[in-house]
Amino acid sequence: MKVIITGALGQLGKNFTEVLIDSGCEVIQVDNRSSENQNVKSLDITSHDAVTEFWKNHSDAVCLINNAGVGIFSPLEERTVEELNYVLNVNIIGNILMTKEFISSSINSSDVKRVINIASMYGH
């Protein structure tokens, strides 16, 4: 089973990837940070063009794990609009773009497709 996981270089992403590989899955790791690990694909999930291009090469995946997420922990009264936009773009827009293109790229597939969205305790 081919699985795509975003936020693969984060704490949860590394652990999820290890479990999936140990379970026999083919895992495509995605992160926006560069890595010496050649198994991790660099992708800006907030870029519609980049996400569309990514799915052209991975339409055979049967599972998408939206694990990418960021947070800003400065005091609320000090947060900038840029910081807020960054969080919204990654945590909401990026996950929606990945899901939209995952579904669109596999619309003619007979495989059962799955989307798993990971949330953080900071979202409470």
Side-chain angles (χ1 to χ4, degrees), residues 39-108:
N39 295 323
V40 179
K41 299 194 180 306
S42 180
L43 177 65
D44 177 2
I45 64 169
T46 67
S47 166
H48 184 262
D49 291 341
V51 169
T52 301
E53 191 62 31
F54 171 83
W55 283 110
K56 286 180 184 177
N57 299 314
H58 300 289
S59 62
D60 58 336
V62 296
C63 182
L64 166 64
I65 302 174
N66 284 314
N67 176 63
V70 297
I72 302 295
F73 301 102
S74 60
L76 179 62
E77 64 275 6
E78 295 175 14
R79 289 189 192 156
T80 65
V81 171
E82 291 78 16
E83 291 173 324
L84 295 172
N85 283 333
Y86 171 64
V87 170
L88 292 172
N89 283 334
V90 173
N91 296 358
I92 297 175
I93 302 298
N95 290 324
I96 291 172
L97 287 176
M98 287 296 287
T99 302
K100 174 185 174 294
E101 294 303 323
F102 171 59
I103 292 168
S104 295
S105 72
S106 59
I107 201 126
N108 294 322

Side-chain angles (χ1 to χ4, degrees), residues 5 12-25 27:
I5 182 166
L12 292 176
K14 288 177 184 176
N15 288 309
F16 291 151
T17 297
E18 184 178 315
V19 168
L20 289 164
I21 290 171
D22 289 347
S23 298
C25 295
V27 181

